[in-house]
Amino acid sequence: ISKLYVVDYNTGNLIWSIKNKNPFNSQLKIFDNKIYAIDLNNVLRCFSLTNGSELWNFKSENTFLKSNKRNSIVIIDNKIYFNNSVGDIISLNANDGSMLWQMPTQSSDIYENAFSLIVSDLVAKGDELFFSNNRNQFYSMSLTNGLINWKQEINSEVRPIIYDNLIFTISNEGYFFILDKFT
């Protein structure tokens, strides 16, 4: 789980492979000839798609206990948005990894219980980022500055679906929720 491989689609021949010190625990995203992935130590790594060399990395908060939930990555307008295992949402410049903003969504006592936090996949629509968690929190956050637009009490770990101005999600208890995107 700590290796990346690039294989020629037509021939199946291995182009390159790399081994990371720690297993990856995120979605893989490809953008602008780069691969982005987060490892179990909450380090977002950027690799060259051409040769696999690490171009840069960004270390976010590390926890002793590791979450089983894979972290989510969204890339929009040359900016990366991702969550770490303690509930922070972080925005970076996709070219050099410089931090644009970071917003914690949990109090400091989460570090004791980080292994039990489960955050849904991040979904971006317009200038907003949407996500929820198993702590009864559903967020709308500004992509520009990370400020919280609104928060609802919905206990959900599933990826929300955005359609027009509506958000659809299902709670961990099995209830179907429809939310207005703006309020």
Side-chain angles (χ1 to χ4, degrees):
I1 303 178
S2 61
K3 284 192 95 172
L4 287 178
Y5 300 90
V6 172
V7 178
D8 185 290
Y9 178 78
N10 295 317
T11 66
N13 293 333
L14 179 67
I15 298 172
W16 58 259
S17 72
I18 58 163
K19 182 167 177 44
N20 197 42
K21 288 192 299 187
N22 298 299
F24 293 107
N25 190 30
S26 73
Q27 304 166 332
L28 293 178
K29 295 291 179 162
I30 296 175
F31 173 75
D32 197 25
N33 214 26
K34 297 176 186 106
I35 300 173
Y36 301 91
I38 306 167
D39 68 24
L40 276 176
N41 287 339
N42 285 325
V43 178
L44 178 87
R45 299 184 183 278
C46 174
F47 301 99
S48 166
L49 190 57
T50 307
N51 60 17
S53 64
E54 185 173 302
L55 302 174
W56 55 262
N57 67 60
F58 178 86
K59 296 172 178 75
S60 69
E61 192 70 38
N62 192 7
T63 60
F64 177 69
L65 297 171
K66 306 303 181 193
S67 172
N68 289 328
K69 171 68 168 98
R70 77 186 163 123
N71 295 320
S72 182
I73 302 172
V74 174
I75 303 175
I76 298 173
D77 295 332
N78 216 31
K79 295 177 183 119
I80 300 171
Y81 305 92
F82 71 99
N83 67 297
N84 63 19
S85 61
V86 296
D88 295 345
I89 307 296
I90 301 164
S91 176
L92 305 176
N93 179 303
N95 290 324
D96 60 15
S98 59
M99 185 165 64
L100 302 172
W101 54 260
Q102 179 173 354
M103 178 62 71
T105 64
Q106 304 297 304
S107 65
S108 61
D109 66 348
I110 187 64
Y111 298 110
E112 300 167 9
N113 299 316
F115 67 93
S116 66
L117 177 68
I118 300 175
V119 178
S120 73
D121 287 347
L122 305 176
V123 176
K125 179 79 172 181
D127 61 350
E128 294 176 275
L129 191 65
F130 301 95
F131 61 96
S132 57
N133 64 36
N134 63 334
R135 301 272 163 83
N136 208 29
Q137 299 165 327
F138 192 106
Y139 291 91
S140 166
M141 184 178 282
S142 168
L143 287 175
T144 306
N145 54 25
L147 296 177
I148 296 171
N149 298 320
W150 53 259
K151 183 168 87 171
Q152 288 286 345
E153 292 184 10
I154 299 173
N155 190 30
S156 178
E157 302 165 16
V158 300
R159 178 188 189 119
I161 296 172
I162 315 297
Y163 180 76
D164 287 337
N165 295 330
L166 298 175
I167 304 168
F168 302 92
T169 194
I170 299 174
S171 73
N172 291 349
E173 297 76 27
Y175 295 107
F176 181 58
F177 283 86
I178 303 173
L179 304 168
D180 181 288
K181 185 177 101 150
F182 301 109
T183 60

